[in-house]
Amino acid sequence: ALYEFGVIGHGPGSDALAKQVADAARDWDRHYRNREVVFEIQPLDDQPPASRPGSFAFDNALNRILIEWR
């Protein structure tokens, strides 16, 4: 399937944030699109994972979500 992704920024600092998100989307398209993705949920009190290409962690009020393209 083919998907289109766009970014529009609003408010103070929005141009820089929109550029950062668009750059990340282009990087994913070039390097990770054809890889398998793995999702994992961890407690917030676990040690945060080390930052590395293709791996992202998002904390919310209840847990940490890990996303990794392999």
Side-chain angles (χ1 to χ4, degrees), residues 34-68:
N34 295 321
R35 296 184 184 192
E36 174 188 2
V37 66
V38 177
F39 295 88
E40 182 180 337
I41 300 202
Q42 294 182 338
L44 288 172
D45 58 357
D46 277 7
Q47 181 71 23
S51 179
R52 62 179 188 247
S55 181
F56 305 90
F58 301 93
D59 290 357
N60 62 36
L62 301 175
N63 51 44
R64 177 174 295 119
I65 301 170
L66 302 176
I67 304 169
E68 182 177 9

Side-chain angles (χ1 to χ4, degrees), residues 17-34:
L17 179 58
K19 181 183 180 324
Q20 182 181 1
V21 172
D23 289 345
R26 280 190 288 274
D27 186 53
W28 172 82
D29 184 45
R30 282 187 215 107
H31 302 289
Y32 302 102
R33 177 185 286 272
N34 295 321

